[in-house]
Amino acid sequence: MASLIEQLTERLREAGYRNTPARRAVLEALIDGPSHMTAPDVVAAVDESSPSVGRASVYRTLELLTRLGLVQASTLGGTETTYMLAPSGHHHHAICLECRATLEIDECVVGELEGLLCQRTGFEIRGHLLEIYGLCPRCATSQRNSNQTE
Amino acid sequence: MASLIEQLTERLREAGYRNTPARRAVLEALIDGPSHMTAPDVVAAVDESSPSVGRASVYRTLELLTRLGLVQASTLGGTETTYMLAPSGHHHHAICLECRATLEIDECVVGELEGLLCQRTGFEIRGHLLEIYGLCPRCATSQRNSNQTE
DNA sequence: GTATATGCAAAAAGTTTGCACAGTA
DNA sequence: TACTGTGCAAACTTTTTGCATATAC
């Protein structure tokens, strides 16, 4: 079975792009790092692991990977853009607005909606993003407590 | 019936924040402008309508409005962050990856999932974002045509 | 061999900060 | 009146660009 990095570079190749050290370095940073990284996070990680790769290539690669759908950008309910590897299959997130923790959700209820949308509008669907915002149990509890003492 | 701007400033007030000219100018820019605006778009619109409001206040206000949930930031499937008024009720988007057109979707299938998530994990849900990415009918057609002639 | 992709460094763009002052509640 | 919020300008961070060179295929 092909490793994740191999699968991803293969998808680049299929789309007509070359398999270069800079692109591998960005993919590896995303694979090895936390599930959501800002652009400067990725720049720093690449600079750590592959100092010969330039900043500009990191930005160019993040843009390319996002355009091809290998990577997905999201604001996680805040204002800061983060990048994550686009999960194959369905994985969505519940995000705590307080502590920024993310929780994976496996259930996917979007499929049925996509069918309907495609039928009604002729939209050709490529993917989707579903994020649920709220307070994780820990933060919900501590917020209730602090309200009591106010 | 209270106008939209009044409803929004009222929500600010309820959260303990003051109703100031800078905040009204940002809200008005979002109300009057296109449905998705980047931060520099909002800065420009405010500078147009209320030249006395400073750039910094626009950023501070966008951050505040997002934190309070009056505004939602999203990358629309690309890498650029845009802001939109968070619609009350359910409105989601289908976004064309080619021409960036957005299409409103009224159906909401997330409610049931939220109930399940809340029950299972104790997450206290405040909102959600659902975006469907793909090609609008027009771009899907023109892409098929250009593939034929390749 | 050739076109794509790169690193570099500089420029541009975008965002944040500190602080004295203004204006809301 | 008290304190939140502001404008300003400077500092800082992030992102983009142009171009000669390297390298994947």
Side-chain angles (χ1 to χ4, degrees):
Chain A
M1 177 204 160
S3 69
L4 183 49
I5 183 83
E6 282 162 356
Q7 291 175 46
L8 292 165
T9 51
E10 172 61 15
R11 289 179 62 188
L12 271 182
R13 205 192 54 72
E14 281 165 7
Y17 295 93
R18 294 179 179 176
N19 177 356
T20 67
R23 286 171 182 165
R24 282 194 304 274
V26 169
L27 286 169
E28 268 156 13
L30 290 167
I31 291 169
D32 296 339
S35 64
H36 298 271
M37 302 172 78
T38 64
D41 287 344
V42 178
V43 168
V46 166
D47 194 52
E48 180 77 15
S49 67
S50 315
S52 63
V53 170
R55 260 192 312 293
S57 294
V58 174
Y59 284 100
R60 287 186 282 232
T61 301
L62 284 173
E63 154 72 28
L64 173 67
L65 295 174
T66 303
R67 189 153 40 75
L68 295 180
L70 308 201
V71 158
Q72 180 137 98
S74 146
T75 57
L76 303 180
T79 63
E80 188 175 65
T81 302
T82 63
Y83 295 86
M84 62 183 289
L85 288 174
S88 55
H90 290 297
H91 284 277
H92 299 307
H93 292 90
I95 297 148
C96 179
L97 296 170
E98 195 63 37
C99 70
R100 298 274 121 197
T102 64
L103 184 73
E104 299 270 334
I105 308 170
D106 289 335
E107 267 82 14
C108 184
V109 291
V110 186
E112 38 186 308
L113 178 60
E114 289 187 343
L116 198 66
L117 178 72
C118 180
Q119 212 177 333
R120 280 207 201 145
T121 66
F123 214 85
E124 190 178 309
I125 292 162
R126 291 284 173 81
H128 60 249
L129 175 68
L130 171 59
E131 294 181 337
I132 295 182
Y133 307 121
L135 299 178
C136 69
R138 178 192 297 265
C139 290
T141 304
S142 69
Q143 195 159 87
R144 270 191 293 274
N145 292 344
S146 73
N147 282 345
Q148 274 177 358
T149 54
E150 258 167 20
Chain B
M1 176 201 158
S3 69
L4 184 48
I5 183 82
E6 283 162 356
Q7 290 174 47
L8 291 166
T9 50
E10 172 61 14
R11 289 180 61 189
L12 270 182
R13 205 193 53 71
E14 281 165 8
Y17 295 93
R18 294 181 178 174
N19 178 358
T20 67
R23 288 172 181 164
R24 283 194 304 274
V26 169
L27 285 169
E28 267 156 14
L30 290 168
I31 290 169
D32 296 339
S35 65
H36 298 271
M37 302 173 79
T38 64
D41 287 345
V42 178
V43 168
V46 167
D47 194 52
E48 180 78 14
S49 67
S50 315
S52 63
V53 170
R55 259 192 314 294
S57 294
V58 174
Y59 284 100
R60 288 186 280 233
T61 301
L62 285 174
E63 154 72 27
L64 173 67
L65 295 174
T66 303
R67 189 154 40 77
L68 295 180
L70 309 199
V71 158
Q72 179 138 96
S74 147
T75 57
L76 302 180
T79 62
E80 189 176 64
T81 301
T82 64
Y83 296 85
M84 63 185 287
L85 288 174
S88 55
H90 291 297
H91 285 278
H92 299 308
H93 292 90
I95 298 150
C96 179
L97 295 171
E98 195 63 37
C99 69
R100 299 274 120 196
T102 64
L103 186 72
E104 298 271 335
I105 308 169
D106 289 335
E107 266 81 17
C108 184
V109 291
V110 185
E112 37 186 309
L113 178 60
E114 288 186 343
L116 198 65
L117 178 72
C118 180
Q119 212 175 334
R120 280 207 203 146
T121 66
F123 214 85
E124 190 178 310
I125 293 163
R126 291 284 173 81
H128 60 250
L129 174 68
L130 172 58
E131 294 182 336
I132 294 182
Y133 308 122
L135 299 177
C136 68
R138 178 192 296 266
C139 289
T141 304
S142 70
Q143 194 159 88
R144 271 192 292 274
N145 292 343
S146 73
N147 283 343
Q148 275 177 359
T149 54
E150 259 167 21

